[in-house]
């Protein structure tokens, strides 16, 4: 209703496309500029807008799964909906790492969030290896008398005294047509991901499924730690181990 009212009052700001008896709303370039000017939207480049993005099935369904994830975090008061950044590039020696989302959690730490619907296991593991490369990237800059040089992740996420560990990496497996069930894909991912470099030591990786996340919320016992050696045990977000 709010979007309909906005479109009636300011038709240049939002648009709508229809697919499979559903409506998908999006910001027009003017609407995106207005949102950025409000100060409520973190500055970035490369934002996607327009009816083509809203109408493209894969991008649309992936985006909706990310929105459902954001809502689950917001409803659990784990993170506000405004404390998310989407597809922000992070430099690594192996090329840029681009998480689906980065969220600032209520406790002050951050988390990387990846949404999977149709990606192959090889590509998922490659993405995880990119996180490993980002975590282990050498320091940059010269530092100064008051502070030693830091790596990009330390500068961005560790806090002024390096008191925060590397952000946890969260994978959310969402349903998709002609694909194995999310729980099946989650289990297969665990078998492969536990072999990646720093996982379960310098890199904390946890997974869930979108149906479980939306049912029990982000603060529930929905997260399964990769390589924790405790079978199918699921934990609350606050109970995940810290990276070393």
């Amino acid at each position: 209703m709010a979007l309909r009212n906005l479109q009636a009052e300011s038709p240049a700001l939002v648009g709508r496309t229809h697919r499979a008896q559903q409506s998908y709303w999006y910001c027009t370039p003017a609407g995106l500029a207005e949102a950025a000017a409000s100060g409520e939207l973190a500055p970035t480049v490369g934002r996607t807008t327009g009816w083509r993005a809203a109408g493209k099935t894969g991008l649309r369904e992936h985006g909706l799964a990310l929105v459902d994830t954001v809502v689950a975090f917001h409803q659990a008061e784990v993170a506000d909906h405004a404390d998310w950044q989407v597809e922000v590039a992070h430099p690594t020696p192996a090329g840029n790492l681009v998480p689906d989302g980065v969220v600032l959690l209520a406790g002050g730490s951050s988390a990387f969030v990846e949404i999977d619907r149709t990606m192959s296991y090889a590509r998922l593991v490659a993405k995880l290896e990119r996180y490993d490369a980002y975590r282990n990237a050498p320091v940059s800059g010269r530092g100064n008398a008051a502070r030693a040089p830091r790596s990009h992740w330390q500068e961005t996420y560790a806090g002024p005294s390096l008191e925060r560990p590397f952000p946890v990496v969260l994978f959310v497996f969402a349903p998709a047509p002609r694909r194995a069930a999310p729980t099946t894909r989650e289990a297969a991912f665990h078998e492969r991901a536990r072999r990646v470099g720093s996982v379960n030591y310098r890199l904390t990786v946890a997974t869930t499924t979108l149906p479980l996340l939306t049912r029990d919320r982000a603060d529930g016992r929905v997260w399964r730690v990769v390589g924790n050696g405790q079978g199918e045990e699921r934990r609350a977000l606050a109970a995940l181990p810290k990276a070393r």
Side-chain angles (χ1 to χ4, degrees), residues 22 32 39 56 93 96 119 123 130 137 139 144 168 176 182 184 225:
Q22 290 183 306
L32 194 58
K56 188 174 180 181
N96 278 344
M119 193 175 290
R123 290 181 61 194
R130 191 65 58 90
V139 298
N144 53 49
V168 62
T184 301
V225 181

Side-chain angles (χ1 to χ4, degrees), residues 88-100 112 114 119 121-138 151-153 157 166-169 171 189 192-193 195-199 202-205:
V88 178
H90 297 66
T92 86
N96 278 344
L97 163 70
V98 184
D100 287 330
F112 298 116
E114 296 290 344
M119 193 175 290
Y121 297 125
R123 290 181 61 194
L124 286 173
V125 170
K127 188 72 174 280
L128 189 53
E129 289 172 341
R130 191 65 58 90
Y131 278 104
D132 194 31
Y134 179 58
R135 166 64 180 80
N136 295 309
S151 65
H152 184 274
W153 87 261
Y157 299 110
F166 188 80
V168 62
V169 184
F171 282 80
F189 173 72
R192 294 160 173 80
R195 303 186 183 98
V196 174
S198 298
V199 168
R202 295 187 182 276
L203 202 63
T204 296
V205 182

